[in-house]
């Protein structure tokens, strides 16, 4: 049975967390972190979203993303697929380097961003890698302090403080430089909760989510097939070349609705390896 669909709408803000498979260090080398940032930059040129903050650790990343016309599912699928292809080629391996489904935690509004961003910037401090967020190279904190907006959409946060950019940066620095709060409390609030917001926000979303129904895999397949005979051929496990594009679209959409690659592959009578090859270019 599929997982609950993600709640997606124009202007939604998400805290995204994804780890290496079995907590592997899939971003261990500097060139790996550079490649991930390069991929994000290229995808921002194609898709419509804001990257408000990031921290890249050796075995996982944190992003804060604000979406517009493109869903978070499509954005993250593109980022993770591109990185998986890069990493697998570099290591001569197959399969997804990521551990299961990424975490996407919906944030109520901009008023919750300060503590959330301070938390993800302090991850290296909590991990005893450094004693200050300013000492860690692989976060977006420096973009705000240096007033450099390109990869990071710094204006979204800074304009909350002041229309005067210098005053806004000063306020940002004051807030970021406050002593880190208790790690366990923040981890529960910002990583383990379903939503980041006040009680009314969480109650409303829980009520809405309770009645959502996940579309079936067969209905997803029917929606991407142009004619019924193509649907039947795919269900029978046909390997006709022209059907690959339909299988790929079906697999992407099924992932978006929370199905695993094994569930997706079994529904069309092919192996999990074949689905992963369609999705990630691996065997």
């Amino acid at each position: 049975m599929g997982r609950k669909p993600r709640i997606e709408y124009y202007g939604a803000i998400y805290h995204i967390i994804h780890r290496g498979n079995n907590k592997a260090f899939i971003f261990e080398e500097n060139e790996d972190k550079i490649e991930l940032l390069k991929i994000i930059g290229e995808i921002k040129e194609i898709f419509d979203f804001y990257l408000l903050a990031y921290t890249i650790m050796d075995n996982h990343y944190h992003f804060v993303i604000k979406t517009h016309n493109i869903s978070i599912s499509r954005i993250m699928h593109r980022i993770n697929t591109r990185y998986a292809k890069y990493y697998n080629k570099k290591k001569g391996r197959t399969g997804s380097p990521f551990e299961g489904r990424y975490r996407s935690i919906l944030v109520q509004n901009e008023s919750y961003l300060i503590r959330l961003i301070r938390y993800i910037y302090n991850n290296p401090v909590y991990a005893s890698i450094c004693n200050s967020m300013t000492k860690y190279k692989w976060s977006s904190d420096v973009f705000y302090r240096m007033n450099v907006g390109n990869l990071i959409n710094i204006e979204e946060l800074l304009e909350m403080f002041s229309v005067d950019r210098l005053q806004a940066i000063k306020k940002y620095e004051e807030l970021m430089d406050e002593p880190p709060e208790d790690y366990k409390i923040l981890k529960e609030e910002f990583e383990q909760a379903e939503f980041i917001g006040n009680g009314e926000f969480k109650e409303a979303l829980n009520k809405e989510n309770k009645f959502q129904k996940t579309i079936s895999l067969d209905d997803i397949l029917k929606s991407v097939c142009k004619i019924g005979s193509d649907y039947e051929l795919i269900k029978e496990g046909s390997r006709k070349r022209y059907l690959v594009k339909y299988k790929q679209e079906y697999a992407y959409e099924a992932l978006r609705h929370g199905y695993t690659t094994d569930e997706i592959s079994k529904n069309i009578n092919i192996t999990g390896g074949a689905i992963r090859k369609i999705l990630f270019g691996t065997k």
Side-chain angles (χ1 to χ4, degrees):
M1 183 176 180
R3 303 178 183 90
K4 291 186 297 185
R6 302 182 194 278
I7 296 176
E8 300 176 335
Y9 55 86
Y10 186 95
I13 301 171
Y14 302 89
H15 176 203
I16 306 293
I17 311 159
H18 213 178
R19 303 182 186 280
N21 201 12
N22 295 317
K23 299 182 180 179
F25 284 15
I26 62 172
F27 310 110
E28 184 174 17
E29 299 179 28
N30 286 350
E31 66 180 21
D32 300 330
K33 298 181 179 73
I34 292 169
E35 182 66 22
L36 179 60
L37 294 176
K38 177 183 174 184
I39 289 169
I40 294 170
E42 291 173 352
I43 293 172
K44 281 191 71 186
E45 293 295 318
I46 303 170
F47 287 165
D48 180 24
F49 69 95
Y50 287 169
L51 180 62
L52 304 181
Y54 70 79
T55 294
I56 308 173
M57 306 289 279
D58 287 348
N59 70 344
H60 71 282
Y61 61 63
H62 295 263
F63 299 154
V64 180
I65 289 177
K66 183 173 184 178
T67 61
H68 297 115
N69 293 312
I70 305 298
S71 70
I72 191 65
S73 300
R74 289 186 64 193
I75 293 165
M76 293 311 305
H77 175 75
R78 187 68 66 90
I79 291 172
N80 288 335
T81 299
R82 285 276 304 276
Y83 187 80
K85 289 180 178 179
Y86 153 80
Y87 188 79
N88 287 345
K89 182 178 180 180
K90 175 183 175 180
K91 297 293 186 179
R93 65 184 299 281
T94 61
S96 174
F98 293 103
E99 183 177 75
R101 197 188 195 206
Y102 63 88
R103 287 276 291 155
S104 65
I105 304 165
L106 189 65
V107 183
Q108 181 173 2
N109 54 42
E110 286 84 352
S111 65
Y112 289 85
L113 287 177
I114 297 301
R115 290 180 65 245
L116 169 61
I117 291 175
R118 188 167 59 218
Y119 167 71
I120 71 170
Y121 285 168
N122 273 316
N123 258 240
V125 178
Y126 294 130
S128 300
I129 294 172
C130 54
N131 59 12
S132 168
M133 69 170 69
T134 61
K135 302 295 184 182
Y136 191 69
K137 181 178 180 182
W138 300 105
S139 85
S140 54
D141 176 60
V142 66
F143 291 97
Y144 287 95
R145 296 178 189 267
M146 299 296 292
N147 193 26
V148 176
N150 186 7
L151 180 64
I152 300 298
N153 299 90
I154 63 173
E155 65 282 350
E156 188 79 7
L157 184 63
L158 293 179
E159 288 176 2
M160 291 170 52
F161 304 137
S162 174
V163 294
D164 183 304
R165 183 54 60 89
L166 293 180
Q167 288 298 317
I169 293 172
K170 181 180 179 181
K171 182 62 176 178
Y172 166 87
E173 291 175 337
E174 289 174 357
L175 292 168
M176 288 298 128
D177 293 341
E178 290 182 3
E181 299 177 62
D182 183 89
Y183 172 69
K184 290 184 179 179
I185 294 175
L186 293 181
K187 184 178 178 67
E188 182 176 353
E189 180 179 357
F190 293 137
E191 291 195 33
Q192 298 170 355
E194 292 297 322
F195 317 110
I196 299 171
N198 61 31
E200 290 80 6
F201 175 71
K202 295 177 183 179
E203 183 178 354
L205 288 179
N206 275 321
K207 184 176 181 180
E208 176 184 339
N209 217 23
K210 181 179 179 181
F211 297 103
Q212 286 183 334
K213 294 185 182 298
T214 302
I215 186 172
S216 72
L217 286 170
D218 283 345
D219 284 342
I220 293 172
L221 181 58
K222 288 175 183 176
S223 72
V224 303
C225 289
K226 304 304 181 186
I227 56 177
S229 59
D230 289 339
Y231 167 83
E232 296 297 337
L233 284 170
I234 292 174
K235 286 289 288 184
E236 292 168 2
S238 172
R239 300 176 65 180
K240 291 182 181 292
R241 186 177 296 274
Y242 82 92
L243 295 173
V244 172
K245 62 181 179 180
Y246 299 133
K247 293 178 184 178
Q248 186 178 58
E249 188 175 348
Y250 153 76
Y252 286 162
E253 188 65 14
L255 279 179
R256 190 176 76 81
H257 283 275
Y259 289 98
T260 67
T261 54
D262 285 340
E263 290 170 332
I264 295 166
S265 62
K266 287 177 183 177
N267 188 58
I268 58 174
N269 293 303
I270 63 175
T271 66
I275 276 292
R276 286 186 281 275
K277 184 175 182 180
I278 289 171
L279 289 167
F280 305 112
T282 58
K283 295 181 179 179

